[in-house]
Amino acid sequence: MNMKLLKLLNKNARYSLEDLAVMLGESEDEVAKEIDQMEKDGIICGYKPVIDWEKVDHAYISALIELKVIPKGGLGFEEVAERVMKYPEVESVYLMSGGYDFCVIVKGKTFQEVAMFVSKELSTIDSVTSTATHFMLRRYKEMDVDLYGGMTDDRGNFLL
Amino acid sequence: MINYDKILNKKVKEVKPSGIRKFFDIAEQMEGVISLGVGEPDFPTPWQIRQAGIRSLEKGQTKYTSNWGLAQLREELARYMKRKYDLSYEPHKEILVTVGGSEAIDMCIRAVVEAGDEVIIPQPSYVCYEPAVNLAGGKAVIVETKAENEFKLTKQELLDNLTPKTKVLILPYPCNPTGAIMERADLEALAEVLRDKDIVVISDEIYAELTFGDTRHVSIASIDGMWERTLVVNGFSKTFSMTGWRLGYACGPEVLMEQIVKIHQYMIMCAPTTSQYAAIEALRSCDDAVEEMREEYDVRRRLLVHGFNKLGLTCRDPKGAFYAFPSIQSTGMTSDEFCERLLTAKGVALVPGTAFGASGEGFVRASYCYSHAHLKEALKRIGEFLEELKDEQ
């Protein structure tokens, strides 16, 4: 596994093979092979753009749902996770340490839609004992990308 | 009417203003200019260093420190110099904390140079050495290093410029703007010449942590017989991305340092206290952060150097600092002309090689303290500029 390659792709998945090869000091063939292998090994699981949905009409809104569950005998948390992740409304599911068990990111067109989804679908799952819904109001930074425009170059122009 | 001409110090008047001011003036008035001109890291100072600075303020550590700098900081510096460059300095007599590397350079020069003394300065190099020597009343002897020698200072060049009046050799490696480094064998060769002479080397090693490939920085002070005749200047600006904290240091034999500290104590008193506390944290816990920045510079370096070569602007592999120094000779233009036309035509700001000495003619300096996207955009515009030049011909 090539850690430097992964870091570069994590920064920008759309680098050309040529750029990647140059930046890593490897041949394009080598880089292509490494990427291919990491895809096969399930290390690289997909490629997606970082979208500022606020700038899109009919944008999505997202909510972070805290799920508390009582895991079923012998099955642990996996069964619940599998059930939750099958919903197309669910973007991410994480098992958490701390005050609750699952962090579920849900997207929908309106607050109402998301709230209904939580109360009708998530909270009715057998092992789920409670839910807490937190709507995301604004995204400042998403996957390392500044969506806010707060990071400006304030270096002066003089000869150093 | 007051006659300022009579009042002003002649030596000060003779200092030439920065040759590239006009570019930056043009650049400031243009929209959408993309600059590769800045010689300053784009990374913010690592968070734990900033936090240490904040903590020292919260504790009210806002008084002067010792003229030499905080004892704790000098002890850390002694350990740092040992583990990084195998250099041993006594923290209480041989290490002086300064206001950036620049103050250290100026004081080192002033402490040894008198009227008529000659100071050898390899160029192209950083712009402060010559004015500092002139202000001290010395005579700058410029050695024009050559592209075919990878802009290293050769033993022969040193020999050719030595006179009985030579008192100081400035050794600015890793080099801004050429990216050249001096490897152990190169330094051994210089040491053969210097070892039996009463000449002091002022080794400006501010870019010491920014070397790429397999080679790591070697300080000339670590070469046999050179410690006693070398003043090592370094600082926190480039290594730890701490330019605004204004913190550097000079290390050397006690006999020299106890004189240098006199200049410092009367002119400066001490380096900024907050910065000194932050710097202790930098030396203690930031090796990983420094390595991460170095790796990122390396990636950008490859991207930029490859880009220039692909455009037909021959660019050697710069082994240190964070600049590429491509040749623009194939365009038939002077460095100045190239930079000015590129700026007005495409809004890309580079620095003409001549800003760093006449021997920089035919080259331009491009900093890679910028994001990948920024570097790619600059290269794209330079490519368009070169295409348009071809169409003209």
Side-chain angles (χ1 to χ4, degrees), chain A:
Chain A
M1 188 198 38
N2 185 335
M3 202 60 197
K4 285 185 181 170
L5 173 55
L6 272 183
K7 277 189 188 168
L8 284 173
L9 288 172
N10 193 38
K11 196 176 274 181
N12 180 356
R14 292 195 70 200
Y15 278 129
S16 65
L17 277 181
E18 186 193 348
D19 280 347
L20 290 169
V22 166
M23 290 190 281
L24 294 164
E26 295 175 19
S27 74
E28 287 184 40
D29 278 356
E30 279 172 320
V31 174
K33 247 186 239 166
E34 283 169 334
I35 293 178
D36 202 38
Q37 192 59 49
M38 288 195 285
E39 288 173 358
K40 278 185 191 141
D41 293 346
I43 295 171
I44 296 175
C45 309
Y47 302 87
K48 294 177 79 173
V50 180
I51 297 170
D52 187 350
W53 286 109
E54 281 175 35
K55 299 207 173 84
V56 181
D57 287 341
H58 313 294
Y60 289 110
I61 57 135
S62 300
L64 183 156
I65 323 293
E66 297 175 5
L67 283 194
K68 283 188 188 162
V69 306
I70 298 172
K72 282 189 174 168
L75 287 170
F77 290 103
E78 265 58 33
E79 194 189 326
V80 187
E82 272 181 50
R83 173 95 190 262
V84 171
M85 64 192 273
K86 277 189 184 130
Y87 292 104
E89 290 88 343
V90 170
E91 198 177 82
S92 313
V93 183
Y94 310 106
L95 182 63
M96 308 296 288
S97 68
Y100 59 98
D101 303 304
F102 285 107
C103 167
V104 182
I105 311 290
V106 172
K107 63 179 190 299
K109 290 215 166 62
T110 61
F111 286 93
Q112 180 71 5
E113 190 180 294
V114 171
M116 290 312 288
F117 170 77
V118 173
S119 63
K120 280 194 174 154
E121 304 292 339
L122 294 186
S123 48
T124 56
I125 296 172
D126 263 357
S127 338
V128 172
T129 57
S130 81
T131 67
T133 303
H134 309 275
F135 287 105
M136 293 180 196
L137 301 180
R138 182 147 197 206
R139 287 166 200 268
Y140 296 93
K141 191 176 179 185
E142 182 87 43
M143 297 181 73
D144 303 326
V145 179
D146 173 13
L147 305 182
Y148 181 61
M151 299 182 196
T152 52
D153 190 348
D154 55 359
R155 289 175 293 172
N157 258 331
F158 33 77
L159 190 51
L160 283 165

Side-chain angles (χ1 to χ4, degrees), chain B residues 169-210:
Chain B
L169 164 65
I170 306 273
L171 202 59
Y173 295 93
C175 183
N176 167 14
T178 62
I181 62 167
M182 293 284 282
E183 294 179 57
R184 183 172 295 278
D186 307 316
L187 296 171
E188 296 272 7
L190 298 187
E192 279 170 28
V193 178
L194 297 164
R195 219 171 259 137
D196 59 354
K197 299 202 171 50
D198 290 330
I199 292 176
V200 169
V201 177
I202 299 176
S203 187
D204 183 354
E205 304 182 10
I206 192 82
Y207 291 99
E209 283 309 287
L210 293 172

Side-chain angles (χ1 to χ4, degrees), chain B residues 23-39:
Chain B
F23 289 104
F24 290 143
D25 289 345
I26 300 173
E28 262 157 38
Q29 280 161 25
M30 285 175 66
E31 290 263 327
V33 169
I34 182 158
S35 172
L36 298 187
V38 178

Side-chain angles (χ1 to χ4, degrees), chain B residues 70-86:
Chain B
L70 290 167
Q72 222 182 350
L73 174 57
R74 281 177 284 137
E75 281 156 20
E76 284 299 336
L77 276 170
R79 279 194 277 275
Y80 180 81
M81 296 303 272
K82 183 68 194 167
R83 83 183 150 93
K84 288 282 183 187
Y85 314 116
D86 197 25

